[in-house]
Structures are given as C-alpha cells and as structure tokens.
C-alpha cells in the first residue's frame, strides 16, 4: 500500500522535526468537531473520548500499561513534578545539545543545589557514574538527529541506581521504543506523531509515581472527572492519571486517529521507509548511511538553495536539518538533491567533503 496517499503534502516538505503533517483521517476528525464547536452542536464529553483513545494508543506504542500514562500539553510541564521530587543537591546528567524542554525544568532547581551536568552525546554513557541521580536525555537529538544508544543508557543508569527520563518527541512515531528500564518517557505529539500542537503524552513508572507530588492537579486529575468540579474535597485518580493536565480537546481529537494510524501502519514499517529515504539523501550528499530519519549538514548555501527551490526544511545550530517521514517520497529526495547539486559540485571542485 502507498501510505503517502493518506496525506496531502505539498512536494518538498522535509521538516517533520519541526512539525508533522496530519493524516487525512486526523484532519477530517478535527474539522468535524470544529464545525460542532462553531454552532454548539454537542457537549464536550464526546470530544474527550479522544483523550482516552490517545492515552491507550500511546501506551500500546511504547509497551506501557495505560494506567501508567498521563496526558498534558508540553514536555517541560510534564517534567515539573519529577524535577520537584529531586532531593536538594541532586545531580542530573544530560546531553550538551539537549533541547531545553528537558533542561530548564532541572536548572530552575539550581537554587536548592540541583546540579545539571552536560556532556557530548558520545560521552553520555561513560558519564553515568555513581553520584548521578537522574539521566535526562532525548531518544533522538533535535539539532543533530543523533539516535541514543538507549539500551546502553538503560543499563548504565540501572547499574548506578539513577532515574532515567527520556524525551521521545523526535523519536516516537518512527523509531521503535518501549519503556522497559525507563522511569519516564514523554513525547509531544505534533512532530512525528503528526498531531495538533497541544497534546503531550507520557509514561511514569510506578516507582516514580510514588516519589512525585501531582502539584498541578485539577478537576481532570480526579478519580471521577465529573465528580471533581466543585468543593474542597479531593479524591485523585489512581496511577499516572493523577498527573493529568486538563487536555486541549481539539488537539487530542486530532491526535487519536493519527496515533492509531501509526499503529495500523506499524512503526517498523515507518522506520524502514524513513531510513531508506534519509540514507538516499545522505548518499547524494556523499555522507555515510545513518540510523536516523534526521539529516544534518553544514553544506554552505544549502538553506538558500532549498528556499529557492521551494523545499521546506530547517536550520538548527547553524546546520541545515532535513527530516523524512512516512509521507515523504523519493521524488522529494530527488528534488532536494537537485537543488543542492550545484553546491555539491562546487564543494567537490574545492576538495571539501560534506559535513
């Protein structure tokens, strides 16, 4: 089956690492509820069924129990209870190019002695030593596309008794992942999960749930949501649901069918498709194959060449970043390489290798 037919991309979209394009089924679901909202055709409860569907689909994608999955709006807000639970003087280890949604929540606790240690990605596993209380790192780095050796990080963290918190925003949806050995795994869904911005999902291990205070608890974190509207009594939901933030309904209306479609296609299928195209692009640049759907290059003039050709990518940390997902086609890759061909020829004549 040609899965690309389930989307409606304009040719030349190579920027899923910034935001993913909605599959038609998600777009149509969202249009339906927006039409209902416009005229007041229904109450909100039918919209909220999508939150439950999203939670359950996310749980299946990462091999978790839905009872250990919470919903929210942003990665940084999802990490707040974990950071608050760290003891004074705790030491947190991260990658030195980590996206700041997985940096600032720890650094704001520096006034009570929490120390953030940042090392280059290729030194991360070696830096997981006694004295590290928590490792906070992305499964795939936003700026470089580097894929974490998750098995090695899990093993090293377990050996020293450190908690492990994974930001899977640049991974989940194309890279096979499970929560085995992980204490928290959080992902915003608007990138590779191709959902509206505003829907974040996360896993909290039972041992971490016990350590964290649900300090942002509101009516949606109640054991019975509709029984938690009013009054001074609090009866929070069991499991990770007590960490729920009141969901942005329409974001989850788009997220549920998008996540379920990823399940239907299969992450392994998406993984192969994305890597095939990314490595075809890398080969055209003269780069060796990689294990990432994100390609980062410092080819001089690449951004301008892409813009002139109508190709949408991004620049991160001074490098052109192209990202390849299930709706990307071989024609997109060829269009991109054609746009860069004069630059590659100039580079070759100058005796410079790509980087």
């Amino acid at each position: 089956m040609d899965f690309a037919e389930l989307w409606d991309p304009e040719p030349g979209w190579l920027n899923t690492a910034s935001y993913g394009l909605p599959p038609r089924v998600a777009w149509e679901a969202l249009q339906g509820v927006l039409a209902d909202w416009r005229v007041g055709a229904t109450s909100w409860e039918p919209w909220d069924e999508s939150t439950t569907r999203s939670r359950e689909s996310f749980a299946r994608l990462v091999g978790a129990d839905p009872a250990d999955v919470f919903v929210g709006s942003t990665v940084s807000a999802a990490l707040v209870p974990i950071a608050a639970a760290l003891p004074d003087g705790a030491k947190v280890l991260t990658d030195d190019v980590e996206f700041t949604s997985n940096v600032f929540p720890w650094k704001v606790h520096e006034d009570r002695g929490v120390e953030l240690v940042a090392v280059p990605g290729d030194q991360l596993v070696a830096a997981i030593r006694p004295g590290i209380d928590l490792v906070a790192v992305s499964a795939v780095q936003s700026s470089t596309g580097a894929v974490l050796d998750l098995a090695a990080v899990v093993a090293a963290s377990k050996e020293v008794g450190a908690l492990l918190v994974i930001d899977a925003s640049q991974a989940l949806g194309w890279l096979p992942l499970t929560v085995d050995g992980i204490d928290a795994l959080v992902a915003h869904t608007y990138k590779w999960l191709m959902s509206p911005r505003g829907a974040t999902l996360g896993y909290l291990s039972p041992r971490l749930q016990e350590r964290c205070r649900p300090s942002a608890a509101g009516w949606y974190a109640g054991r019975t949501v509709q029984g938690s509207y009013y009054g001074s009594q609090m009866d929070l939901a069991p499991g990770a649901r007590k960490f729920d933030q009141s969901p942005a309904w329409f974001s989850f209306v788009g997220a549920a069918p998008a996540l379920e479609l990823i399940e239907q296609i299969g992450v392994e299928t998406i993984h192969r498709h994305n890597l095939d195209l990314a490595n075809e692009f890398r080969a055209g640049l003269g780069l060796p194959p990689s294990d990432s759907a994100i390609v980062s290059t410092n080819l001089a003039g690449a951004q301008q060449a892409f813009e002139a050709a109508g190709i949408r990518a991004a620049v991160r940390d001074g490098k052109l970043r192209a990202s390849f997902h299930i709706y990307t086609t071989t024609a997109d890759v060829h269009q991109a390489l054609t746009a860069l061909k004069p630059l590659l020829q100039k580079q070759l004549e100058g005796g410079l290798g790509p980087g």
Side-chain angles (χ1 to χ4, degrees), residues 71-86:
V71 302
S73 56
T74 67
V75 168
S76 54
L79 299 181
V80 166
I82 306 172
L86 288 175

Side-chain angles (χ1 to χ4, degrees), residues 218-244:
W219 66 279
Y220 201 80
R223 183 181 298 271
T224 58
V225 169
Q226 292 180 324
S228 301
Y229 288 162
Y230 308 111
S232 60
Q233 300 302 309
M234 182 177 70
D235 182 18
L236 294 181
R241 260 202 59 229
K242 67 173 64 72
F243 298 94
D244 279 0

